[in-house]
PDB file of all heavy atoms in Angstrom:
ATOM      1  N   ALA A  49     -14.635  -8.395  17.661  1.00 98.00           N
ATOM      2  CA  ALA A  49     -13.912  -7.216  18.132  1.00 98.00           C
ATOM      3  C   ALA A  49     -13.618  -6.242  16.993  1.00 98.00           C
ATOM      4  O   ALA A  49     -13.808  -5.023  17.139  1.00 98.00           O
ATOM      5  CB  ALA A  49     -12.608  -7.647  18.813  1.00 98.00           C
ATOM      6  N   VAL A  50     -13.156  -6.752  15.838  1.00 98.00           N
ATOM      7  CA  VAL A  50     -12.859  -5.834  14.733  1.00 98.00           C
ATOM      8  C   VAL A  50     -14.142  -5.283  14.117  1.00 98.00           C
ATOM      9  O   VAL A  50     -14.134  -4.179  13.543  1.00 98.00           O
ATOM     10  CB  VAL A  50     -11.967  -6.501  13.664  1.00 98.00           C
ATOM     11  CG1 VAL A  50     -10.603  -6.847  14.248  1.00 98.00           C
ATOM     12  CG2 VAL A  50     -12.613  -7.720  13.040  1.00 98.00           C
ATOM     13  N   ARG A  51     -15.245  -6.000  14.253  1.00 98.00           N
ATOM     14  CA  ARG A  51     -16.524  -5.432  13.793  1.00 98.00           C
ATOM     15  C   ARG A  51     -16.938  -4.263  14.688  1.00 98.00           C
ATOM     16  O   ARG A  51     -17.520  -3.278  14.205  1.00 98.00           O
ATOM     17  CB  ARG A  51     -17.597  -6.519  13.765  1.00 98.00           C
ATOM     18  CG  ARG A  51     -17.491  -7.412  12.533  1.00 98.00           C
ATOM     19  CD  ARG A  51     -18.615  -8.405  12.430  1.00 98.00           C
ATOM     20  NE  ARG A  51     -18.630  -9.024  11.100  1.00 98.00           N
ATOM     21  CZ  ARG A  51     -18.934 -10.280  10.861  1.00 98.00           C
ATOM     22  NH1 ARG A  51     -19.273 -11.090  11.862  1.00 98.00           N
ATOM     23  NH2 ARG A  51     -18.926 -10.768   9.634  1.00 98.00           N
ATOM     24  N   ARG A  52     -16.661  -4.359  15.975  1.00 98.00           N
ATOM     25  CA  ARG A  52     -16.927  -3.216  16.854  1.00 98.00           C
ATOM     26  C   ARG A  52     -16.060  -2.028  16.439  1.00 98.00           C
ATOM     27  O   ARG A  52     -16.517  -0.873  16.466  1.00 98.00           O
ATOM     28  CB  ARG A  52     -16.632  -3.587  18.314  1.00 98.00           C
ATOM     29  CG  ARG A  52     -17.603  -4.572  18.936  1.00 98.00           C
ATOM     30  CD  ARG A  52     -17.487  -4.575  20.455  1.00 98.00           C
ATOM     31  NE  ARG A  52     -16.137  -4.855  20.922  1.00 98.00           N
ATOM     32  CZ  ARG A  52     -15.681  -6.075  21.199  1.00 98.00           C
ATOM     33  NH1 ARG A  52     -16.462  -7.143  21.041  1.00 98.00           N
ATOM     34  NH2 ARG A  52     -14.446  -6.244  21.631  1.00 98.00           N
ATOM     35  N   PHE A  53     -14.832  -2.307  16.054  1.00 98.00           N
ATOM     36  CA  PHE A  53     -13.940  -1.247  15.568  1.00 98.00           C
ATOM     37  C   PHE A  53     -14.542  -0.548  14.350  1.00 98.00           C
ATOM     38  O   PHE A  53     -14.538   0.686  14.257  1.00 98.00           O
ATOM     39  CB  PHE A  53     -12.570  -1.842  15.225  1.00 98.00           C
ATOM     40  CG  PHE A  53     -11.750  -1.014  14.283  1.00 98.00           C
ATOM     41  CD1 PHE A  53     -11.117   0.134  14.723  1.00 98.00           C
ATOM     42  CD2 PHE A  53     -11.627  -1.390  12.944  1.00 98.00           C
ATOM     43  CE1 PHE A  53     -10.356   0.904  13.847  1.00 98.00           C
ATOM     44  CE2 PHE A  53     -10.869  -0.631  12.072  1.00 98.00           C
ATOM     45  CZ  PHE A  53     -10.232   0.521  12.519  1.00 98.00           C
ATOM     46  N   ALA A  54     -15.086  -1.321  13.414  1.00 98.00           N
ATOM     47  CA  ALA A  54     -15.704  -0.724  12.227  1.00 98.00           C
ATOM     48  C   ALA A  54     -16.851   0.192  12.616  1.00 98.00           C
ATOM     49  O   ALA A  54     -17.028   1.278  12.037  1.00 98.00           O
ATOM     50  CB  ALA A  54     -16.193  -1.817  11.280  1.00 98.00           C
ATOM     51  N   ASN A  55     -17.632  -0.210  13.607  1.00 98.00           N
ATOM     52  CA  ASN A  55     -18.747   0.629  14.052  1.00 98.00           C
ATOM     53  C   ASN A  55     -18.265   1.915  14.693  1.00 98.00           C
ATOM     54  O   ASN A  55     -18.871   2.987  14.519  1.00 98.00           O
ATOM     55  CB  ASN A  55     -19.618  -0.158  15.036  1.00 98.00           C
ATOM     56  CG  ASN A  55     -20.401  -1.266  14.361  1.00 98.00           C
ATOM     57  OD1 ASN A  55     -20.696  -1.183  13.166  1.00 98.00           O
ATOM     58  ND2 ASN A  55     -20.728  -2.316  15.106  1.00 98.00           N
ATOM     59  N   VAL A  56     -17.153   1.840  15.431  1.00 98.00           N
ATOM     60  CA  VAL A  56     -16.589   3.053  16.043  1.00 98.00           C
ATOM     61  C   VAL A  56     -16.153   4.028  14.967  1.00 98.00           C
ATOM     62  O   VAL A  56     -16.447   5.230  15.024  1.00 98.00           O
ATOM     63  CB  VAL A  56     -15.406   2.687  16.962  1.00 98.00           C
ATOM     64  CG1 VAL A  56     -14.657   3.949  17.400  1.00 98.00           C
ATOM     65  CG2 VAL A  56     -15.882   1.918  18.191  1.00 98.00           C
ATOM     66  N   VAL A  57     -15.441   3.525  13.957  1.00 98.00           N
ATOM     67  CA  VAL A  57     -14.974   4.399  12.878  1.00 98.00           C
ATOM     68  C   VAL A  57     -16.150   4.992  12.117  1.00 98.00           C
ATOM     69  O   VAL A  57     -16.151   6.174  11.755  1.00 98.00           O
ATOM     70  CB  VAL A  57     -14.042   3.626  11.924  1.00 98.00           C
ATOM     71  CG1 VAL A  57     -13.651   4.493  10.728  1.00 98.00           C
ATOM     72  CG2 VAL A  57     -12.792   3.153  12.657  1.00 98.00           C
ATOM     73  N   ARG A  58     -17.182   4.176  11.900  1.00 98.00           N
ATOM     74  CA  ARG A  58     -18.363   4.655  11.175  1.00 98.00           C
ATOM     75  C   ARG A  58     -19.009   5.839  11.897  1.00 98.00           C
ATOM     76  O   ARG A  58     -19.421   6.816  11.268  1.00 98.00           O
ATOM     77  CB  ARG A  58     -19.357   3.498  11.005  1.00 98.00           C
ATOM     78  CG  ARG A  58     -20.471   3.782  10.012  1.00 98.00           C
ATOM     79  CD  ARG A  58     -21.368   2.570   9.856  1.00 98.00           C
ATOM     80  NE  ARG A  58     -20.741   1.485   9.101  1.00 98.00           N
ATOM     81  CZ  ARG A  58     -20.370   0.330   9.607  1.00 98.00           C
ATOM     82  NH1 ARG A  58     -20.551   0.073  10.904  1.00 98.00           N
ATOM     83  NH2 ARG A  58     -19.815  -0.598   8.852  1.00 98.00           N
ATOM     84  N   LYS A  59     -19.057   5.765  13.221  1.00 98.00           N
ATOM     85  CA  LYS A  59     -19.650   6.857  14.001  1.00 98.00           C
ATOM     86  C   LYS A  59     -18.798   8.122  13.966  1.00 98.00           C
ATOM     87  O   LYS A  59     -19.301   9.228  14.121  1.00 98.00           O
ATOM     88  CB  LYS A  59     -19.848   6.412  15.447  1.00 98.00           C
ATOM     89  CG  LYS A  59     -20.919   5.348  15.634  1.00 98.00           C
ATOM     90  CD  LYS A  59     -20.985   4.885  17.077  1.00 98.00           C
ATOM     91  CE  LYS A  59     -22.002   3.760  17.261  1.00 98.00           C
ATOM     92  NZ  LYS A  59     -22.014   3.258  18.664  1.00 98.00           N
ATOM     93  N   LYS A  60     -17.503   7.952  13.737  1.00 98.00           N
ATOM     94  CA  LYS A  60     -16.575   9.092  13.762  1.00 98.00           C
ATOM     95  C   LYS A  60     -16.141   9.506  12.357  1.00 98.00           C
ATOM     96  O   LYS A  60     -15.117  10.177  12.187  1.00 98.00           O
ATOM     97  CB  LYS A  60     -15.331   8.718  14.580  1.00 98.00           C
ATOM     98  CG  LYS A  60     -15.592   8.437  16.056  1.00 98.00           C
ATOM     99  CD  LYS A  60     -14.313   7.969  16.744  1.00 98.00           C
ATOM    100  CE  LYS A  60     -14.523   7.723  18.231  1.00 98.00           C
ATOM    101  NZ  LYS A  60     -14.638   8.998  18.966  1.00 98.00           N
ATOM    102  N   GLU A  61     -16.904   9.113  11.368  1.00 98.00           N
ATOM    103  CA  GLU A  61     -16.502   9.307   9.976  1.00 98.00           C
ATOM    104  C   GLU A  61     -16.125  10.752   9.664  1.00 98.00           C
ATOM    105  O   GLU A  61     -15.061  11.023   9.102  1.00 98.00           O
ATOM    106  CB  GLU A  61     -17.630   8.860   9.043  1.00 98.00           C
ATOM    107  CG  GLU A  61     -17.325   9.109   7.571  1.00 98.00           C
ATOM    108  CD  GLU A  61     -18.494   8.761   6.672  1.00 98.00           C
ATOM    109  OE1 GLU A  61     -19.552   8.338   7.195  1.00 98.00           O
ATOM    110  OE2 GLU A  61     -18.364   8.912   5.460  1.00 98.00           O
ATOM    111  N   ASN A  62     -16.978  11.700  10.003  1.00 98.00           N
ATOM    112  CA  ASN A  62     -16.718  13.091   9.652  1.00 98.00           C
ATOM    113  C   ASN A  62     -15.502  13.641  10.391  1.00 98.00           C
ATOM    114  O   ASN A  62     -14.661  14.347   9.805  1.00 98.00           O
ATOM    115  CB  ASN A  62     -17.952  13.951   9.941  1.00 98.00           C
ATOM    116  CG  ASN A  62     -19.104  13.637   9.006  1.00 98.00           C
ATOM    117  OD1 ASN A  62     -18.903  13.180   7.880  1.00 98.00           O
ATOM    118  ND2 ASN A  62     -20.326  13.863   9.461  1.00 98.00           N
ATOM    119  N   GLU A  63     -15.387  13.314  11.658  1.00 98.00           N
ATOM    120  CA  GLU A  63     -14.251  13.775  12.454  1.00 98.00           C
ATOM    121  C   GLU A  63     -12.941  13.208  11.909  1.00 98.00           C
ATOM    122  O   GLU A  63     -11.920  13.904  11.802  1.00 98.00           O
ATOM    123  CB  GLU A  63     -14.447  13.356  13.911  1.00 98.00           C
ATOM    124  CG  GLU A  63     -13.347  13.807  14.843  1.00 98.00           C
ATOM    125  CD  GLU A  63     -13.544  13.284  16.265  1.00 98.00           C
ATOM    126  OE1 GLU A  63     -14.568  12.617  16.523  1.00 98.00           O
ATOM    127  OE2 GLU A  63     -12.648  13.527  17.098  1.00 98.00           O
TER     128      GLU A  63
END
Side-chain angles (χ1 to χ4, degrees):
V50 296
R51 281 185 167 143
R52 290 196 304 269
F53 159 76
N55 289 334
V56 170
V57 175
R58 193 177 287 111
K59 291 176 183 177
K60 296 175 178 286
E61 176 184 1
N62 291 333
E63 181 184 357

